[in-house]
Amino acid sequence: MTAPNRNVLWANALVDELVAAGVDAVVASPGSRSTPLTVAAAGHEELTVFSQLDERSAAYFALGRARRTGRVTPLICTSGTAAANYHPAVMEASEARVPLLALTADRPPELRDSGANQTADQEKLYGDAVRFYKDLPEPAANDRALRSLRTTVARAVATAEGADQGPVHLNVPFKKPLEPTPVPGDVPDDLPEAAERGRDGPYVDVTAGAPEPGDEELRALATELGDADRGLIVAGPADPPGIDPESVTALAHATGFPVLADPLSGLRYGGHTRVAPVIGNYDAYLSADLAGDEGESGETDGWADPDLVLRLGASPTSKRLRKYLAETGADQYQVDPAGRWREAEFAATDLVVAEPSRLCARLSRLVGGGSGDPDWRSQWEEADRVAEAVHGREVEELDEAVAAGESDSLGSGFHEGDALRAVADALPDPATLFVSNSMPVRDLDRFVGSTTANITALGNRGVSGIDGVVSSALGAGSGTTDDLTLVVGDIALYHDSNGLLAVDRCDVDVTVVAVNNDGGGIFHKLPIESFEPPFTESFKTPHGMEFEPLAELHGLEYARIDARPDALADRGESPAERAQAVADDVAAVVSRAHEEAGSHLIEVDTDAEASHRTRERLAAAVERAVHGDAGDV
């Protein structure tokens, strides 16, 4: 049976080709011009349609789902500003290399630049942020046009998920009628079945390849790694679908190199940490000042620097790590499957165009056993152990750090990093943890070291915005059966509060831990903190909001923990005792939330300035405990 009109025929072919390419879900927002696409998606039995009222939230939801699954979740929207609201997520997808496909409906060409209502210039709307763009022709009911359409859709999905994965934009114009209204003669009866029904499978079946060095180049790189006395594997945030932990573990064993794993690398958490030398607390004891003039032993004040670094993934979250590596002067091999530059210190010496998992696996078989310094790995493992002890307020380590600093107290009460530690300790196994930008991801990086728990930690570190964090987390939750936890700051939660509509509309359960420090707490890290005015009103911007009404609005169970200094006076005799008491409260509430049905919002009220001062004191304590008098942070 043929379609009632050419718009229906066109939209059905487009959606059918998406499914043939492996797409199992789309995110659609309501609108008129996109009616043919939305109706086609809703009518396809192999497709799940997530309905999102707001296009910005919709785009971030699709981005979060793709980040978790590694597969594209196409977007459907109407014309005009709807398409513009995708732009922030397109930027994030481009820089973070997340597959995204925007299908933006548009007016036909004769209405463009005409003053017609709701008509905007959508040609190349997202500029260079997309990997592929095409303004589709108007729907046509002929064999060649439909073959062209199917080919374009197959190419679009393959490009979004390719070696240089990222966003793709197809602009889709439609004339009226937009509904499945019969139009006599619009679709010829003799249309070839292959044009209307497509092929068995994708119209163009794309066989993906993985870039890798030739045998001679690979052997040369293996020789460099094998000859290094003090090497590091540094893994930054991973591109979807992630880096294979077994491949990296094999290379770490072959070379003897420790693995410095970003919390978003997919390597800091998991069972492989039982056998791999995964280092997770480096942000607490590294600094640019630590690297520098070395003697014959390769040491500076007792700390040995690397002579070779193999870098995987994006630029690490830790600025201290990035600066330290740059100052060591070590040879740095940056591995990137797309051959792009991802090293903002401009200290890398080599760019290796290769898929990182396959490269690590091949190198591990060629290196055959590193000849590195036997004390090299133990240096990092001991430093990590000491940092973990200080962060955990273990008495012996704290006493040593305090004594070294000639102070009788660190004043280390509860701080926001303790909240991240408590949440991580309370997560079920397995779990998906999504963390917001600003302080949550930095606190995860510094205060939550490696663990054997099966935690998939995700965040939007492409352009590192706070917009769309809630929607991204819920999108990630839609792509997994893991329990989902989101740790988000108050400003980011406010910014994307309408993203919580997806809890009900898209049937995603989540435990939201909102760290409410009443404003932009991260600005306490910057020199502008000492300028008053304008610091408070123009940067920190306190708002005085509480989030219980938001939980009630969206049907989330609500709990509140007041962790501000004035509320903790009777929670213990020492700052460490008070910190532990509050951390226990946070962990208990998070654990109960995961045991109960439905979604939850847990508000943890903190004092931003007090948290920053405690972070600073703990950083100094870790430096003293690890390096003695070497560090002064």
Side-chain angles (χ1 to χ4, degrees):
M1 181 177 179
T2 60
N5 61 53
R6 66 181 60 196
N7 283 346
V8 173
L9 175 72
W10 195 256
N12 283 346
L14 190 157
V15 169
D16 182 61
E17 202 55 46
L18 290 175
V19 174
V23 169
D24 62 1
V26 301
V27 183
S29 298
S32 175
R33 191 61 58 171
S34 54
T35 296
L37 292 173
T38 301
V39 171
H44 203 294
E45 61 182 14
E46 297 180 45
L47 207 57
T48 298
V49 179
F50 294 105
S51 175
Q52 287 272 24
L53 304 184
D54 168 42
E55 287 83 7
R56 188 184 70 174
S57 290
Y60 276 108
F61 185 94
L63 182 142
R65 183 178 172 88
R67 192 183 288 282
R68 184 65 180 86
T69 65
R71 300 300 307 275
V72 69
T73 300
L75 292 155
I76 297 173
C77 77
T78 191
S79 58
T81 59
N85 277 288
Y86 285 169
H87 206 156
V90 169
M91 294 169 64
E92 174 64 28
S94 178
E95 296 304 315
R97 297 193 186 163
V98 179
L100 195 73
L101 172 54
L103 300 169
T104 60
D106 201 357
R107 302 298 180 95
E110 65 267 21
L111 291 182
R112 299 176 188 176
D113 194 26
S114 67
N117 182 50
Q118 200 177 321
T119 302
D121 183 2
Q122 296 176 200
E123 283 273 353
K124 299 186 177 180
L125 180 62
Y126 310 119
D128 292 338
V130 295
R131 305 292 189 263
F132 172 68
Y133 166 79
K134 189 165 185 178
D135 186 28
L136 294 180
E138 293 182 72
N142 66 71
D143 183 35
R144 183 186 178 101
L146 287 166
R147 285 188 281 119
S148 172
L149 171 67
R150 289 181 179 276
T151 298
T152 298
V153 173
R155 289 176 57 203
V157 174
T159 301
E161 298 177 349
D164 188 16
Q165 62 190 11
V168 169
H169 178 203
L170 298 182
N171 198 47
V172 192
F174 290 107
K175 289 180 179 179
K176 293 182 178 181
L178 302 170
E179 299 73 27
T181 303
V183 178
D186 212 26
V187 178
D189 294 333
D190 61 349
L191 187 69
E193 185 176 351
E196 185 172 3
R197 302 297 180 192
R199 294 171 174 161
D200 184 13
Y203 201 75
V204 177
D205 201 343
V206 178
T207 302
E212 56 183 312
D215 291 342
E216 182 177 347
E217 291 80 7
L218 193 73
R219 285 193 294 269
L221 179 56
T223 299
E224 293 291 334
L225 268 61
D227 289 346
D229 288 328
R230 302 183 308 278
L232 290 175
I233 300 172
V234 175
D239 304 327
I243 302 172
D244 176 32
E246 292 186 6
S247 298
V248 178
T249 298
L251 184 59
H253 284 311
T255 59
F257 294 178
V259 180
L260 275 59
D262 190 276
L264 307 183
S265 67
L267 299 176
R268 185 180 290 192
Y269 315 117
H272 64 281
T273 61
R274 292 186 178 92
V275 294
V278 176
I279 306 300
N281 290 293
Y282 49 79
D283 186 68
Y285 52 80
L286 292 181
S287 68
D289 293 339
L290 185 63
D293 298 331
E294 295 181 344
E296 293 182 0
S297 66
E299 297 183 359
T300 301
D301 293 319
W303 182 264
D305 289 335
D307 48 31
L308 184 147
V309 180
L310 185 71
R311 296 185 60 161
L312 314 174
S315 182
T317 300
S318 171
K319 181 178 179 180
R320 290 162 65 95
L321 171 60
R322 301 193 305 266
K323 296 293 185 182
Y324 168 75
L325 293 176
E327 290 299 319
T328 63
D331 291 337
Q332 293 193 47
Y333 290 81
Q334 180 195 358
V335 179
D336 190 82
R340 294 198 183 196
W341 192 259
R342 304 175 93 176
E343 206 283 288
E345 299 301 325
F346 304 104
T349 55
D350 295 79
L351 177 61
V352 182
V353 182
E355 195 284 315
S357 297
R358 179 168 171 78
L359 178 71
C360 289
R362 294 184 68 195
L363 284 172
S364 68
R365 294 190 289 269
L366 289 175
V367 172
S371 58
D373 183 345
D375 295 328
W376 174 244
R377 173 172 164 175
S378 61
Q379 167 186 276
W380 291 92
E381 291 177 327
E382 176 62 13
D384 231 45
R385 186 196 68 79
V386 171
E388 180 68 25
V390 174
H391 290 159
R393 313 307 208 281
E394 293 183 18
V395 175
E396 181 179 352
E397 299 291 349
L398 267 181
D399 286 347
E400 291 177 1
V402 168
E406 299 181 351
S407 170
D408 61 357
S409 173
L410 286 174
S412 50
F414 184 87
H415 65 100
E416 291 159 5
D418 288 327
L420 268 296
R421 287 171 64 88
V423 169
D425 288 343
L427 291 177
D429 189 351
T432 293
L433 173 65
F434 206 100
V435 288
S436 180
N437 286 311
S438 293
M439 292 314 303
V441 69
R442 288 173 170 83
D443 283 334
L444 182 70
D445 190 17
R446 175 169 293 190
F447 296 105
V448 182
S450 61
T451 173
T452 59
N454 185 14
I455 299 172
T456 301
L458 305 171
N460 288 341
R461 294 300 291 169
V463 286
S464 301
I466 63 167
D467 45 350
V469 170
V470 175
S471 298
S472 297
L474 292 171
S478 77
T480 179
T481 58
D482 292 356
D483 278 47
L484 172 66
T485 300
L486 164 64
V487 180
V488 61
D490 49 309
I491 299 296
L493 177 57
Y494 169 76
H495 203 286
D496 193 30
S497 59
N498 57 338
L500 289 172
L501 281 169
V503 170
D504 182 54
R505 293 185 65 85
C506 302
D507 193 25
V508 182
D509 286 340
V510 62
T511 297
V512 180
V513 180
V515 180
N516 185 356
N517 57 27
D518 194 25
I522 193 172
F523 291 106
H524 283 287
K525 291 174 62 70
L526 303 178
I528 193 65
E529 181 193 32
S530 62
F531 293 85
E532 192 67 79
F535 174 71
T536 298
E537 291 303 317
S538 298
F539 291 89
K540 188 178 187 303
T541 56
H543 49 73
M545 289 186 293
E546 296 180 359
F547 291 99
E548 184 172 10
L550 184 65
E552 182 178 356
L553 176 66
H554 292 283
L556 279 62
E557 294 295 323
Y558 175 80
R560 178 174 177 267
I561 297 171
D562 192 344
R564 291 171 294 186
D566 291 346
L568 306 183
D570 60 350
R571 299 302 302 274
E573 294 183 1
S574 70
E577 289 176 347
R578 293 193 286 272
Q580 188 60 56
V582 180
D584 290 343
D585 289 349
V586 173
V589 174
V590 172
S591 294
R592 284 198 301 272
H594 285 290
E595 292 167 0
E596 298 172 356
S599 293
H600 300 254
L601 195 159
I602 302 164
E603 183 174 348
V604 182
D605 292 339
T606 64
D607 182 292
E609 183 176 6
S611 282
H612 277 295
R613 299 293 86 83
T614 299
R615 288 187 190 96
E616 290 168 351
R617 287 190 288 267
L618 284 172
V622 171
E623 287 275 344
R624 291 192 294 268
V626 172
H627 304 299
D629 295 331
D632 184 18
V633 177

